[in-house]
């Protein structure tokens, strides 16, 4: 049954990464210009109240490409498993679509958003030292969101809506066979689920040139159904069947925590503008809230996650009549202590710097192109000494000497003014 227990350990950790990927939106380099500019259709999701500032219809299509330049380095002096370092990670692509249009005359705005921040995952490989903890996984996350907004006073706009969120996870780990001379078995765990989430937001026009925005995204609690497939196992077939049946009869309620987004925007007479954005994530509430096998509730361990902040700051400045330059900075607070970090959730403090341009075409459409370099801290992991209760061995290490990642964002903005 230890292979089955391994599958249950893998599942919640993979979905943690899903939550972070699902919030990968960018308005500028280093993920700046998010919640207060309210200039494009992207505000339909980032701060729905900002749609009240958009005159006519607007559309935005975005692609974010991300890749890493370093990998986890195994500490061979304490690691008990053979195999060495994991494989290099594959790049990911995050697409998003946003649309805004007036309804009910000039009083209301409708926003429709389709986010597909999928492609998040890793391919550590079946032969590295930590193969019994993490082989490979991929995540797909789809969110279809509808929002409404209305300006209620000259200085206040309100907005909100509902989002239908679907998640799918595929995870593979290697599993020990009873006979030490036998090749490893392979455990495949798939899970998917869906739930509704809610959004509420406000945009305050503090002056003609200064705006403050706030957005709240609710918790979601999808009921994840699982499918388990144990391959190449030398256990007796009835035991393999029992493991797979138990996995297929498992349901896990996973809480994705609420987060609150804050943004400040200011522009000057010379065409310069600046933004400061902050995201607070109620991450201590993240994780499994219920685990049922064959209808029986099991104890859910505390994952010891911490609430954290993401803070960005950026400036935009004119380069030519139809071209603006952009610079940005990013800070990501560590969401888990070193002793609680796992291979499926290997995040640490991170900071980033980016630059980009915004080009306005003669027809009024706009093109954004931004690049961001992100550096994470060492993110050390040590699974602890192997024992009868933990037969997967001890694996320890940290990020390589250059733990950098690159994010490239391209967005096309189409706007049709109201006639």
């Amino acid at each position: 049954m230890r292979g089955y227990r391994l599958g249950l350990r893998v599942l919640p950790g993979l979905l943690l990464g899903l939550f972070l990927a699902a919030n990968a939106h960018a308005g500028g380099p280093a993920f700046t210009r998010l919640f207060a500019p309210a200039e494009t259709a992207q505000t339909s999701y980032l701060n729905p109240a900002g749609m009240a500032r958009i005159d006519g219809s607007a559309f935005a299509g975005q692609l974010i490409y991300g890749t890493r330049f370093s990998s986890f380095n195994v500490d061979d002096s304490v690691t008990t498993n053979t195999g060495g370092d994991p494989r290099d990670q594959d790049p990911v692509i995050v697409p998003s679509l946003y649309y805004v249009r007036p309804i009910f005359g000039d009083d209301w705005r409708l926003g429709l958003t389709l986010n597909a921040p999928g492609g998040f995952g890793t391919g550590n490989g079946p032969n590295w030292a930590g193969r019994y903890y993490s082989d490979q996984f991929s995540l797909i996350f789809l969110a279809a969101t509808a929002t409404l907004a209305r300006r209620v006073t000259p200085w206040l706009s309100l907005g909100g809506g509902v989002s239908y969120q679907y998640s799918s996870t595929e995870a593979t780990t290697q599993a020990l066979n009873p006979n030490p001379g036998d090749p490893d078995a392979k455990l495949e765990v798939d899970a998917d689920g869906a739930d509704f989430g809610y959004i509420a937001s406000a945009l305050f026009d503090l002056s003609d040139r200064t705006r403050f925005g706030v957005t709240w995204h609710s918790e979601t609690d999808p009921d994840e159904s699982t499918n388990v497939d144990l391959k190449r196992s030398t256990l007796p077939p009835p035991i393999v069947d029992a493991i797979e049946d138990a996995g297929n009869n498992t349901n896990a309620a996973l809480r994705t925590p609420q987060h609150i987004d804050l943004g400040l925007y200011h522009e000057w007479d010379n065409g310069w503008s600046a933004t400061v954005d902050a995201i607070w994530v109620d991450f201590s509430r993240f994780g499994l809230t219920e685990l049922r096998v064959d209808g029986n509730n099991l104890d859910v361990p505390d994952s010891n996650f911490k609430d954290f902040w993401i803070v960005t700051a950026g400036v935009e400045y004119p380069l030519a009549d139809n071209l603006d330059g952009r610079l940005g900075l990013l800070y990501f607070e560590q969401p888990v202590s070193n002793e609680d970090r796992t291979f499926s959730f290997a995040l640490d403090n991170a900071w980033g710097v980016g630059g980009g341009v915004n080009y306005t075409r003669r027809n009024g459409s706009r093109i954004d192109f931004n690049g961001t370099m992100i550096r994470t801290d060492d993110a050390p992991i040590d699974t602890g000494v192997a024992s009868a209760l933990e037969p997967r061995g001890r694996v320890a290490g940290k990020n390589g000497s250059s733990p950098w990642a690159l994010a490239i964002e391209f967005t096309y903005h189409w706007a049709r003014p109201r006639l």
Side-chain angles (χ1 to χ4, degrees), residues 221-276:
D221 202 9
D223 194 20
E224 306 280 342
S225 60
T226 65
N227 179 72
V228 174
D229 191 7
L230 182 58
K231 299 179 179 179
R232 301 197 306 261
S233 176
T234 59
L235 291 170
I239 296 180
V240 174
D241 291 341
I243 292 173
E244 293 180 341
D245 289 343
N248 296 337
N249 291 320
T250 298
N251 288 85
L254 178 78
R255 177 189 293 126
T256 299
Q258 65 177 339
H259 58 98
I260 298 174
D261 311 325
L262 307 171
L264 181 65
Y265 169 87
H266 181 75
E267 58 183 293
W268 288 271
D269 293 337
N270 60 3
W272 284 61
S273 65
T275 61
V276 177

Side-chain angles (χ1 to χ4, degrees), residues 2-3 6 131-132 174-180 182-185 233-235 391-393:
R2 66 187 176 209
L6 174 59
R131 58 192 176 274
Y132 304 122
Q174 303 300 303
L176 291 166
N177 271 312
N179 185 347
D182 292 336
D184 292 333
S233 176
T234 59
L235 291 170
R392 294 178 291 177

Side-chain angles (χ1 to χ4, degrees), residues 18-337:
L18 172 63
F19 173 74
L20 297 176
N23 290 281
H25 302 278
F31 304 95
T32 55
R33 304 183 65 84
L34 295 177
F35 308 118
E39 298 170 330
T40 70
Q42 291 167 285
T43 194
S44 61
Y45 185 85
L46 297 172
N47 184 348
M51 294 188 295
R53 300 190 72 256
I54 295 178
D55 184 24
S57 300
F59 168 82
Q62 182 181 79
L63 288 176
I64 300 176
Y65 170 87
T67 187
R68 289 180 57 186
F69 299 116
S70 68
S71 62
F72 185 82
N73 290 346
V74 172
D75 184 353
D76 294 324
S77 66
V78 297
T79 296
T80 60
N81 296 341
T82 60
D85 298 339
R87 293 188 307 213
D88 293 337
Q89 303 300 316
D90 295 327
V92 299
I93 296 178
V94 181
S96 301
L97 296 172
Y98 310 86
Y99 176 69
V100 175
R101 62 163 297 158
I103 59 173
F104 308 132
D106 291 328
D107 294 334
W108 293 84
R109 299 292 185 272
L110 170 68
L112 300 175
T113 303
L114 179 62
N115 301 333
F120 180 87
T122 59
N124 293 318
N127 301 312
W128 79 290
R131 58 192 176 274
Y132 304 122
Y133 294 89
S134 174
D135 178 342
Q136 63 181 1
F137 68 88
S138 63
L139 304 173
I140 297 174
F141 185 86
L142 298 174
T145 305
T147 51
L148 291 171
R150 189 176 191 276
R151 184 180 291 274
V152 295
T153 74
W155 54 270
L156 174 63
S157 300
L158 298 178
V162 61
S163 180
Y164 184 72
Q165 301 177 9
Y166 167 79
S167 64
S168 176
T169 305
E170 296 181 1
T172 300
T173 57
Q174 303 300 303
L176 291 166
N177 271 312
N179 185 347
D182 292 336
D184 292 333
K186 182 169 71 170
L187 181 69
E188 297 178 349
V189 180
D190 302 333
D192 62 0
D195 193 20
F196 286 97
Y198 304 95
I199 305 172
S201 73
L203 185 68
F204 301 87
D205 288 275
L206 305 180
S207 72
D208 292 340
R209 297 184 178 275
T210 305
R211 297 187 287 276
F212 174 76
V214 57
T215 307
W216 167 77
H217 289 254
S218 73
E219 292 183 349
T220 60
D221 202 9
D223 194 20
E224 306 280 342
S225 60
T226 65
N227 179 72
V228 174
D229 191 7
L230 182 58
K231 299 179 179 179
R232 301 197 306 261
S233 176
T234 59
L235 291 170
I239 296 180
V240 174
D241 291 341
I243 292 173
E244 293 180 341
D245 289 343
N248 296 337
N249 291 320
T250 298
N251 288 85
L254 178 78
R255 177 189 293 126
T256 299
Q258 65 177 339
H259 58 98
I260 298 174
D261 311 325
L262 307 171
L264 181 65
Y265 169 87
H266 181 75
E267 58 183 293
W268 288 271
D269 293 337
N270 60 3
W272 284 61
S273 65
T275 61
V276 177
D277 294 293
I279 304 171
W280 174 78
V281 184
D282 192 12
F283 215 55
S284 58
R285 288 179 57 80
F286 191 91
L288 291 173
T289 59
E290 186 176 346
L291 188 64
R292 301 183 305 278
V293 179
D294 291 327
N296 298 312
N297 289 330
L298 303 181
D299 292 335
V300 177
D302 187 353
S303 298
N304 296 322
F305 300 118
K306 303 187 299 183
D307 299 344
F308 67 92
W309 287 88
I310 302 172
V311 180
T312 71
V315 295
E316 181 180 88
Y317 49 93
L319 295 173
D321 289 342
N322 59 348
L323 184 66
D324 294 318
R326 291 174 173 176
L327 297 172
L329 298 173
L330 161 73
Y331 174 71
F332 182 100
E333 188 179 16
Q334 179 177 333
V336 62
S337 300

